[in-house]
Structure formats: structure tokens, C-alpha cells
Amino acid sequence: MAIQDIKVPDIGDYTDVPIIEIHVQAGDKIQVEDPLITVESDKASMDVPAPAAGTVKEVRVKLGDTVSEGSTILMLEAEGAGEGDSPSAPAPSPAEEAGNRPPPSAAPSSSAPPTGQIADFSRVHASPSARRLARELEVDLPRVPPTGLKGRVTQEDIRSFAKGGAPAAASASTGAPTAGGGLDLLPWPKVDFSKFGPVETQPLSRIKKISGANLHRNWVQIPHVTNHDEADITDLEAFRVQFNKANEKAGIKVSMLAFMIKAAVASLKQFPEFNASLDGDNLILKQYYHIGFAADTPNGLVVPVIRDADQKGVAEIAQEMGALAKLARDGKLKPDQMQGGCFTISSLGGIGGLYFTPIINAPEVAIMGVCRSYWKQVSPDGKQSEWRFVLPLSLSWDHRVIDGAAAARFNVHFANLLADMRRIIM
């Protein structure tokens, strides 16, 4: 057996790209196309696949190193094609895959095994891009029925499995229940719209492809219930405007969403079942407070995460939100900046509307939706009316974990905190 020097292949015009993941270590046995490292440019992340099978003798790189075409990754003791090897079509280069790969999602699939138990993918016949997609959707790749040539698991197989659908080759003929519980849905209607008038076909963005699969799974598999309420933010809005004016020269600007993140943390502490995730028959109660917020980008919504929001002030949260939102708009968010969320806030305040039903960002168990604040005439004592500035709240929750009374109390508590933020320090 010969020792091979495994180098970074042609990755396009990228140079000095950082390594964000290392998938192998000395002693590992690898197969052709197994991912060795993942690198990330300013536009996309990409796997570098193994060009040969064998045993890893030495890894020559570490996390954070920068590499270019020709950089040495590892030393491989190569071996000839074994009995278990199956021929496959040439894999696309990492550069070719980079333009088509969707960004990672914070929402794991219910088809995935518990954290840390995703099976060994090395025995699965799949391309690096398919393996990457399986990791992004947290799909247990060995459980995905293959439909590709010579038993290859395709990206479409993985997306279908994540959505709870049957594989294309087996859905109609076997009558077997699907991964989503055997919904037995009618096929999607096929229509030639050009028969009725002019049309234009536009491909979905990468973000919409990946988020669409997650949203479909979450909506079908989570029993959503939504409670609507409103918060009186008259005093808080006056304080926010005053604070921003006083700190204008320092470049500090606080949005209402930053206050909502602090209110969410305090509410999660008061109602710990909202800061949880289902794991089979167990409820995982989290002792940390990472809050996601939906950010609008030219390619669709993404959810950056403010980590350890309980340890940060409102101004610090506002600055971090601004930085993450800019990265999201520029397509430069890193995977770890969209992972680990406990609770999400989706704000349409800058656009309009009153109420809506936000879809829960699994494996979270609740999400808060807010719309545009408006002035409302109220009569607190039933006698004299006054105008108050109110914020519409829409709390969607997982009925498997939370009941209606707890949801109502959470909404009321959240609204009371926004009405008087001094409650947070009590």
C-alpha cells in the first residue's frame, strides 16, 4: 500500500479559505468521496472529498487554518478497490457544488437520531454535496432509501426524507408508510400554466429551498396552536426614542426587537417548558438562553441567533443584531451563527399587519411573532379612555409540550415585561 499526499483540488478562484470543519483523524478508514474537510469562502462553504480510499495516517491541517489549491490536507495509506466498493459517477468539484448548496439551517429534522448519535455515513453511497445536505438537515443518512444509480443516495432522496415523504422509487408501488407517518397525500397537481397566458419561470433561491423543507416538516409534524395578545409599549417606546437620541453621536441605536429579546429571556426563565426541546419521550430543559430572530434577506428569511442573551444588555444585543443582520443580507452568516436557538422572535413590525401564525422553528417548542405597533384608544378603568401604543403578539406553541393555560400566561408575562421593563430586574 502506497502513502499518498492528499491535497486541496481545484476550488475555483478561492485562495486562503479557512477550514471550518475537519471530518477525519489519524487512523480513520475512508472511502472515495467521503468529506475530509469543509472550507468556507465569503460566498459558500464546500466539502473537499477524498479522491481515494484508504487509512488516514496523518492530518496536516487544523481548524482555522487557511488553504488554497495544492495545500496538503493529510497523508493517506491508499488501498485498492475492495469487495464492498461500488463504482460511481465522477463527483462534482467542490467549486461546482458551492453555487448550488443551501446554507445550514438551525432547524433539525425530526427524522434525525438524538444529538451526537448521527450514524456513521462512511458506508453510505452518496456524494459530498448529498452528505453535506444530510448534515444540514440533520437527517440520519443511512436511513434514507436510495434511488440513484447503483444505490446512490441523491439530494432529492434526502429532501424527500426530511419532508416526511417516501422515496420516488418506492412511494407508489409498495404502499409502505412514509417517514412522516404515512400521510398518504394526493400528488402535487401538475399544470401547464403557459396554456392560460404568458409565464416566467424563476428557480427558488438556495435559502428558500432549504427553509421550505424545514417549514413543511415543522408545520406537518408539530401540532401548532397560536395565542394572540397585545402589549402596551407606550412608555417603553418613549424611553427607546429618548435613549437613541441621547446616544446618537455614539452610533448606538436600539430597536424594539432588542427589548423583546430581553423580555423573551425573562419569560423563558419564568416558564422553563418554553425553553425546551422534545427528544422522544423526554423533554430537554435548557439552562442557556440563545434567542433567534428572523432576518429578511434578498434570498429569503434566515434566523441568526443571539447567544447567551441573558448575559447581555439591550444595547449590546442591538449591536450584535445589527452585525448579524448585515452578515445575513450579505450571505456571510456562518453555520454556528444560526444554530443552538432556544426561542425565536419573528418581527414584521417594519412592514405591517396585525396578527399571524408563525411556524415553530424545530426543535424549539415556541415562537413569538410580532407585527406593527399602533395607537389604540383604551379605557383602563371603564370610565375615561386614553390613547396607548400597543404591540400585537402572536405566540405559536407546540401542544405536545405546552398547554393553553401556560401559553396564555407566557403571553401575559411577556406583555407585562414590555409594559414595564423594570420587572426584569425584580
Side-chain angles (χ1 to χ4, degrees), residues 318-336:
Q319 289 179 310
E320 188 173 338
M321 280 174 49
L324 288 171
K326 185 179 186 305
L327 288 173
R329 289 191 298 271
D330 295 342
K332 296 181 180 180
L333 275 177
K334 296 179 180 178
D336 62 352

Side-chain angles (χ1 to χ4, degrees), residues 146-303:
T147 64
L149 183 66
K150 294 183 173 65
R152 179 186 291 270
V153 176
T154 68
Q155 293 192 37
E156 189 56 39
D157 295 334
I158 294 167
R159 291 192 182 98
S160 178
F161 189 83
K163 291 177 184 179
S171 58
S173 58
T174 64
T178 67
L183 295 177
D184 195 24
L185 299 176
L186 291 173
W188 194 260
K190 296 289 186 181
V191 180
D192 180 8
F193 297 102
S194 63
K195 294 191 303 184
F196 309 109
V199 298
E200 178 185 355
T201 300
Q202 292 183 348
L204 285 174
S205 69
R206 293 181 297 136
I207 289 177
K208 287 184 177 178
K209 285 180 182 178
I210 195 79
S211 63
N214 287 322
L215 291 170
H216 179 269
R217 178 204 60 215
N218 296 349
W219 182 252
V220 169
Q221 296 193 358
I222 298 173
H224 282 67
V225 184
T226 305
N227 283 39
H228 301 296
D229 210 328
E230 57 187 26
D232 184 340
I233 59 169
T234 310
D235 297 336
L236 182 58
E237 175 63 9
F239 171 75
R240 187 186 73 85
V241 171
Q242 182 184 27
F243 178 88
N244 285 344
K245 187 175 181 180
N247 291 275
E248 187 174 4
K249 292 183 178 179
I252 300 174
K253 187 175 182 180
V254 173
S255 68
M256 185 59 66
L257 183 55
F259 288 104
M260 286 188 273
I261 287 176
K262 288 300 290 184
V265 169
S267 299
L268 293 176
K269 290 182 177 180
Q270 183 71 21
F271 301 92
E273 67 267 36
F274 284 78
N275 193 28
S277 288
L278 272 176
D279 181 12
D281 293 331
N282 297 320
L283 192 62
I284 308 300
L285 296 169
K286 300 161 189 172
Q287 306 300 317
Y288 52 87
Y289 301 90
H290 304 336
I291 309 299
F293 66 97
D296 194 14
T297 76
N299 294 316
L301 287 175
V302 296
V303 183

Side-chain angles (χ1 to χ4, degrees), residues 315-361:
E316 186 179 357
I317 288 173
Q319 289 179 310
E320 188 173 338
M321 280 174 49
L324 288 171
K326 185 179 186 305
L327 288 173
R329 289 191 298 271
D330 295 342
K332 296 181 180 180
L333 275 177
K334 296 179 180 178
D336 62 352
Q337 293 173 316
M338 295 183 286
Q339 295 174 347
C342 303
F343 183 83
T344 298
I345 300 177
S346 179
S347 174
L348 302 178
I351 301 172
L354 282 178
Y355 299 99
F356 67 109
T357 300
I359 298 178
I360 296 167
N361 188 17

Side-chain angles (χ1 to χ4, degrees), residues 47-129:
D47 285 345
V48 175
T55 302
V56 177
K57 302 303 291 182
E58 180 185 359
V59 177
R60 292 284 185 88
V61 293
K62 60 182 184 297
L63 283 178
D65 283 356
T66 58
V67 293
S68 305
E69 180 181 354
S71 300
T72 298
I73 302 173
L74 53 84
M75 306 304 293
L76 180 72
E77 186 177 56
E79 60 187 23
E83 214 177 295
D85 294 335
S86 56
S88 61
S93 73
E96 291 170 336
E97 293 171 4
N100 297 318
R101 181 178 296 113
S105 165
S109 164
S110 58
S111 305
T115 302
Q117 297 183 25
I118 292 181
D120 178 11
F121 288 4
S122 63
R123 297 181 179 273
V124 179
H125 192 34
S127 70
S129 59

